[in-house]
Amino acid sequence: MVPFLGEAAAFSAALCWATSSMIFSNIGGKVGAQTVNRGRLACSIFCLTILHWVMEGQPWPNAVTWEQLGWLSLSSILGLVIGDAMLFQAFVMLGARLSMLLMSTVPIMGAVLAWVLFDEILIPIEIAGIACGVGGVLLVIVGKKGRPVGLAGRNYVVGILFGLGGAIGQVSNLITAKYALIGGYSALSATWIRTMVAVIAMWGFALLLGRVRRTVTACIAPDVGKWLFLGALIGPAVGVWLSMLAVQNANVGIASTLMALPPVILIVYEGTILRKPVGWQAVMGTCLAFCGVALLFMH
């Protein structure tokens, strides 16, 4: 076994997700959040079909029970349709960094939900992790420096709510998908099914609303199409595959912590490469939120 293969895969997955979030945020500002989401899903199912063919020996899953299909469909509607619709709106309103920071609350919400719904005991270090994570996110949200230019007041609050809605959708998605994965069902096959359900739902809505032609025209535009495909390839396809590789070859706690790095990567990128003024509150809050997530996984 290659030394540190899992850790390297986890860090690479974080890089993929940080990069794809920047791409989707940029093109979402040009053609609209939901247009990008629909186009991203279409590109994703294409990339996942090829990846499934290579990894599983066939282009799509053929062994799934009705019960698994039901759970995966519910997971897709909650996460990839409703949750991602909110996340992509947050990308447009808040930018990639703030949106991904709000998405870092997913493990915190998951831990609290498991405590409320499943009576899972929270030990002191996990409570400290939740406190650090929530405190870090709040520190960034209340800081004025580093916000997108011209975004304030009601629009800023709405953007935050969209970001938190995306995180809630992801938590719901993970909890419902877990029931379908019991018994060792392929995570890649589950991802393919969830994505296909989302493609059918999102493009079905577009058909009912008469927006298919407009979406296709926007997605194949030269300054959008290539970036849309690249974002879909890097994030939902390669990023998902790397995350599975990470969990298979590294301690789950270490892998999960490394995969929670996108907000940190994005704040470093904005501060050092783009030379944007992010402010000390944003830096401290992001690091505190990451430490909170790390405490949840590393005990």
Side-chain angles (χ1 to χ4, degrees):
M1 187 173 122
V2 180
F4 301 110
L5 173 63
E7 290 82 355
F11 182 69
S12 299
L15 283 174
C16 285
W17 291 330
T19 303
S20 64
S21 70
M22 287 188 289
I23 292 172
F24 292 140
S25 178
N26 288 336
I27 59 178
K30 296 178 182 178
V31 297
Q34 300 321 311
T35 295
V36 171
N37 196 14
R38 287 190 287 267
R40 187 263 320 194
L41 284 168
C43 293
S44 296
I45 197 64
F46 175 77
C47 295
L48 283 167
T49 299
I50 294 173
L51 189 59
H52 196 279
W53 206 340
V54 172
M55 302 299 293
E56 303 284 343
Q58 55 191 32
W60 48 76
N62 59 9
V64 61
T65 67
W66 284 108
E67 184 181 0
Q68 287 172 322
L69 185 60
W71 282 116
L72 290 172
S73 298
L74 180 60
S75 166
S76 177
I77 297 300
L78 293 174
L80 297 181
V81 177
I82 299 173
D84 278 3
M86 292 188 175
L87 174 61
F88 275 70
Q89 193 61 47
F91 277 154
V92 172
M93 297 183 74
L94 301 176
R97 178 176 59 81
L98 274 174
S99 300
M100 291 304 285
L101 176 68
L102 292 168
M103 288 300 289
S104 74
T105 62
V106 167
I108 296 169
M109 291 181 183
V112 173
L113 207 57
W115 172 58
V116 173
L117 295 180
F118 306 121
D119 294 325
E120 291 188 8
I121 303 299
L122 289 173
I123 62 176
I125 194 169
E126 290 175 327
I127 295 172
I130 290 170
C132 280
V134 172
V137 171
L138 286 174
L139 189 61
V140 176
I141 289 173
V142 300
K144 295 187 181 298
K145 202 167 185 181
R147 292 184 190 180
V149 177
L151 186 64
R154 181 178 177 277
N155 287 339
Y156 182 63
V157 173
V158 170
I160 295 295
L161 291 176
F162 273 124
L164 289 173
I168 292 169
Q170 182 66 10
V171 173
S172 307
N173 151 37
L174 292 173
I175 290 173
T176 47
K178 183 178 179 180
Y179 289 104
L181 294 172
I182 293 172
Y185 189 70
S186 165
L188 183 56
S189 294
T191 302
W192 190 95
I193 292 169
R194 288 170 55 246
T195 305
M196 178 54 78
V197 170
V199 167
I200 294 169
M202 290 297 289
W203 284 89
F205 290 145
L207 185 63
L208 289 173
L209 296 172
R211 294 178 181 171
V212 170
R213 178 175 291 185
R214 188 193 312 173
T215 300
V216 172
T217 302
C219 289
I220 62 175
D223 60 336
V224 174
K226 59 186 178 184
W227 290 108
L228 187 61
F229 185 80
L230 181 63
L233 175 64
I234 291 173
V238 176
V240 167
W241 173 64
L242 285 170
S243 68
M244 290 188 297
L245 195 64
V247 172
Q248 285 175 339
N249 293 278
N251 175 280
V252 174
I254 294 172
S256 300
T257 301
L258 288 171
M259 287 188 287
L261 275 171
V264 179
I265 294 169
L266 287 166
I267 205 165
V268 171
Y269 174 77
E270 286 195 7
T272 60
I273 307 299
L274 299 183
R275 301 288 182 182
K276 285 186 178 180
V278 292
W280 67 269
Q281 276 182 279
V283 175
M284 284 189 64
T286 301
C287 292
L288 188 61
F290 172 71
C291 289
V293 173
L295 284 173
L296 281 175
F297 290 120
M298 297 297 286
H299 61 83

